[in-house]
Amino acid sequence: MDTISPNSPQYVYEQLAAIIERKIRSGEYPPGTRLPGELTMTHDYKVGPGTVRRALGILRDQGLVVTVRARGSFVADPLPPTPDAPA
């Protein structure tokens, strides 16, 4: 499992967003898949709920995640292209 580094110059929520994005792009979380819940992520990555919410907010802004109230967060289907992919 990827871990959060307290010594990284990156904010913890940015590190978590990058971890989740890698899992989405690698296919570990395929399009349409429900992501683990907030409590699960806080436990797995040893971060606070606010950190998880900020990380998911970054992924929503990138179009990778869709959040449905009272249901959870899901990987977008279809996924947007990677930023460095040729058009």
Side-chain angles (χ1 to χ4, degrees):
M1 173 178 11
D2 293 290
T3 56
I4 303 293
S5 171
N7 299 323
S8 172
Q10 233 182 356
Y11 289 113
V12 172
Y13 65 89
E14 291 173 333
Q15 292 180 61
L16 181 56
I19 289 168
I20 298 168
E21 180 177 2
R22 273 194 302 274
K23 289 183 175 196
I24 290 170
R25 297 284 185 195
S26 74
E28 186 173 336
Y29 296 146
T33 301
R34 185 179 186 277
L35 294 175
E38 186 178 293
L39 288 176
T40 300
M41 285 198 240
T42 61
H43 179 265
D44 289 351
Y45 296 104
K46 298 172 180 44
V47 297
T51 299
V52 174
R53 284 188 218 110
R54 280 187 91 169
L56 291 174
I58 289 170
L59 298 171
R60 272 193 303 274
D61 290 347
Q62 294 174 349
L64 291 169
V65 171
V66 176
T67 300
V68 179
R69 188 178 180 105
R71 292 207 51 229
S73 294
F74 298 82
V75 178
D77 188 8
L79 281 176
T82 53
D84 55 341

